[in-house]
Amino acid sequence: MQTTTTLPGAVDAAIRGLGYELVGAERAPGGLVRVTIDFPYDEAQEAAGPRSVGVDDCEKVTRQLQHVLEVEGVDYQRLEVSSPGLDRPLRHQQDFERFEGELVEVTLKSPFQGRKHWRGRLERADDGWRIVLPPPGKPARARKGQAKVDARQAPTPGPDGPKVLDFVFAEVREARLVPTIDFKGRARRAAPFDPNAHEASGSQVTDGGRIQ
């Protein structure tokens, strides 16, 4: 599957020019180009209340990218622009800073104690980052107490407090937020803007694109 690096740099430039951040992009089967956007991290803005990408934002970026892809000669059949969704990937050091304190899933490049996949609360450490692991048999919860996550093979907490896993950013192969679950047990996901679907039915397609 092709990723952001196979698309022209003009895509990233156009998205940033509109005031957004390119989170990810991919070419999917059937000639689909899927792009994921978010608002850039702004500490002052986050303190006032996080902003969420909506349909109007996706529509604005879609219109601009249609022009950019045509100028760049990119062969595609459909363009889909969406928000990152609840399982937003964390690909940069700044993403870790932005989502400190949230429940995350981290995949390490090399296994530690026979495991590469770890879930827990993301916190800063002296020389990098750490995941605070849930006690065995007790699921981790999102900061707002909404998501339940299986604490698979989590080490037993030590006598001095919860067990933690320390790591540096360079050791991470992949990281993403753990989706929150509403009271009906359904993950909430923002709808992307698909111009073809919009023109045909006036509705939005629900699908959070992400790079695998």
Side-chain angles (χ1 to χ4, degrees), residues 1 15 17 20 23 29 33 44 47 52 70 81-82 84 88 99 128-130 145 160 172 178 190 205-206:
M1 180 174 290
I15 290 173
Y20 303 96
V23 176
V33 172
S52 299
E70 180 179 359
V81 176
S82 73
R88 185 195 200 281
F99 294 104
W129 297 93
R130 72 175 32 152
D160 299 326
V172 177
V178 174
V205 179
T206 301

Side-chain angles (χ1 to χ4, degrees), residues 97-117:
E97 296 170 2
R98 179 177 184 174
F99 294 104
E100 179 185 358
E102 297 290 347
L103 193 61
V104 300
E105 182 175 79
V106 171
T107 301
L108 301 176
K109 295 177 181 177
S110 300
F112 176 73
Q113 294 184 352
R115 294 172 55 192
K116 289 185 177 181
H117 306 284

Side-chain angles (χ1 to χ4, degrees), residues 10-59:
V11 170
D12 188 14
I15 290 173
R16 292 183 182 277
L18 292 173
Y20 303 96
E21 172 190 357
L22 176 62
V23 176
E26 66 177 1
R27 286 185 180 274
L32 171 65
V33 172
R34 181 180 291 134
V35 175
T36 309
I37 63 171
D38 200 355
F39 287 106
Y41 177 62
D42 184 306
E43 188 172 356
Q45 177 64 46
E46 290 289 319
R51 295 178 294 173
S52 299
V53 169
V55 172
D56 290 343
D57 301 301
C58 294
E59 180 176 359

